[in-house]
Amino acid sequence: VLYPNVGGFGNAHFLQLPDQDLVRTCVQAFNDWVTDFTSVAPHRLVGVTAVPFWDLEFAVAEITRGVEAGHRAINFCNQPQDHGLPPLASDHWDPIWAVAQEAGVSVSFHVGGGSMGTQFQDTANMGWMTNFAKVSSLIFLDNMRCVADLLFGGVCHRFPDLKLVSVESGAGWIPGALESFDWQWQNGGVRVEHPEYDLLPSEYFRRQIYGCFWFEQDAARFAIERYPDNILYETDYPHPTCQHPGPATPAQYPRDYATGALSSLDDATLQKVLHDTAAGLYGL
């Protein structure tokens, strides 16, 4: 790792760090960069702390440091079990949820927190781009499982003021998943095992979980109609599937997409989806 000394960048030198210390340094350096980058327009750019989830004590300390630096959210792994750690449903992670809830910052779960390397292997010889399109379509399931862990694992019950955000995972699946969760919750005897759970999954969701969308049409409107206070619009820039037109994509400019896809929403709901919900969530 290249570190500049006090004499300036021209006199940089190498430091040999143990692997653990190296990773810590990299995480802290990234979060410091986030602080610097967002500081130019804190009313418009929101800092999100990268959480070193593999080291619980360090993770809590880094969240605290990020919040003190003005970050408004944290980013957490949606499938830690793929990395040899307890799943989200485990109370192992309660210190993370506790510090985030106390600080009043939301927790973002981005798709792709599991074993991404194997997903992008084209074992069927479909072609790299075809397989990429398939994986990009199915990766929403990552966060469907993530939301299920948070609900069935009692995270929402134990931390009622914690805000949880499913990022880059679409919104069309949300009504169907929650309908299934509610049915199985009641049909499967969840309250026999957990009489303390006082709400249904869909009710916990309404209270504290949010979903994001960027290209869906009918599916997005369907989700918004049922959960108008829980759905956020994103552009997904600069990912390959983002809302940016070009010769090889059906994407539209964000304003054009929103005008076409969301024009049937009433003004109050539109204001929530495009501004108010996000502004409230991130304290803007």
Side-chain angles (χ1 to χ4, degrees):
V1 180
L2 190 63
Y3 286 87
N5 65 15
V6 294
F9 288 94
N11 297 318
H13 59 282
F14 285 95
L15 296 179
Q16 295 295 325
L17 298 176
D19 288 347
Q20 182 102 343
D21 291 340
L22 173 59
V23 173
R24 287 171 179 254
T25 300
C26 288
V27 172
Q28 290 177 324
F30 176 80
N31 286 327
D32 287 343
W33 174 83
V34 170
T35 300
D36 291 343
F37 182 84
T38 57
S39 66
V40 299
H43 61 289
R44 186 173 60 88
L45 301 176
V46 175
V48 179
T49 301
V51 177
F53 61 93
W54 53 89
D55 184 332
L56 198 58
E57 184 177 349
F58 179 45
V60 170
E62 193 63 6
I63 292 170
T64 301
R65 197 174 74 91
V67 170
E68 291 173 350
H71 296 193
R72 309 290 183 88
I74 68 173
N75 188 42
F76 201 77
C77 179
N78 65 354
Q79 295 179 70
Q81 67 274 11
D82 284 7
H83 305 282
L85 294 166
L88 287 178
S90 170
D91 60 8
H92 170 84
W93 304 111
D94 280 6
I96 300 291
W97 317 140
V99 70
Q101 177 175 260
E102 183 179 357
V105 296
S106 61
V107 183
S108 292
F109 298 93
H110 194 284
V111 294
S115 180
M116 288 295 292
T118 56
Q119 291 188 57
F120 283 107
Q121 291 177 2
D122 181 18
T123 56
N125 295 318
M126 292 183 289
W128 192 92
M129 290 188 292
T130 300
N131 186 64
F132 178 86
K134 185 203 77 170
V135 172
S136 297
S137 300
L138 295 180
I139 205 168
F140 287 3
L141 297 175
D142 286 2
N143 273 12
M144 188 184 298
R145 287 188 289 267
C146 169
V147 170
D149 277 343
L150 297 170
L151 292 168
F152 287 87
V155 175
C156 293
H157 173 75
R158 295 195 301 277
F159 300 93
D161 296 322
L162 182 64
K163 304 302 181 183
L164 307 157
V165 187
S166 176
V167 179
E168 202 200 343
S169 54
W173 56 268
I174 290 172
L178 291 174
E179 185 174 3
S180 176
F181 294 169
D182 282 357
W183 166 260
Q184 301 296 354
W185 186 280
Q186 297 175 93
N187 191 62
V190 171
R191 281 188 172 137
V192 174
E193 289 184 335
H194 295 282
E196 73 276 16
Y197 290 177
D198 52 347
L199 299 177
L200 290 171
S202 62
E203 294 170 329
Y204 283 119
F205 186 93
R206 287 186 191 278
R207 187 176 73 183
Q208 59 195 109
I209 303 181
Y210 301 82
C212 305
F213 72 99
W214 74 97
F215 68 86
E216 294 161 285
Q217 301 269 341
D218 293 341
R221 289 190 293 270
F222 184 75
I224 293 167
E225 287 169 1
R226 282 148 184 79
Y227 297 94
D229 298 312
N230 302 81
I231 308 297
L232 308 171
Y233 172 63
E234 61 175 308
T235 65
D236 202 50
Y237 182 83
H239 290 130
T241 62
C242 73
Q243 282 291 7
H244 193 282
T249 173
Q252 300 171 279
Y253 285 112
R255 181 180 295 274
D256 294 337
Y257 163 79
T259 299
L262 308 178
S263 59
S264 63
L265 300 179
D266 62 80
D267 290 345
T269 302
L270 194 63
Q271 181 75 16
K272 291 178 183 179
V273 173
L274 296 181
H275 180 271
D276 290 355
T277 302
L281 188 61
Y282 299 109
L284 298 176

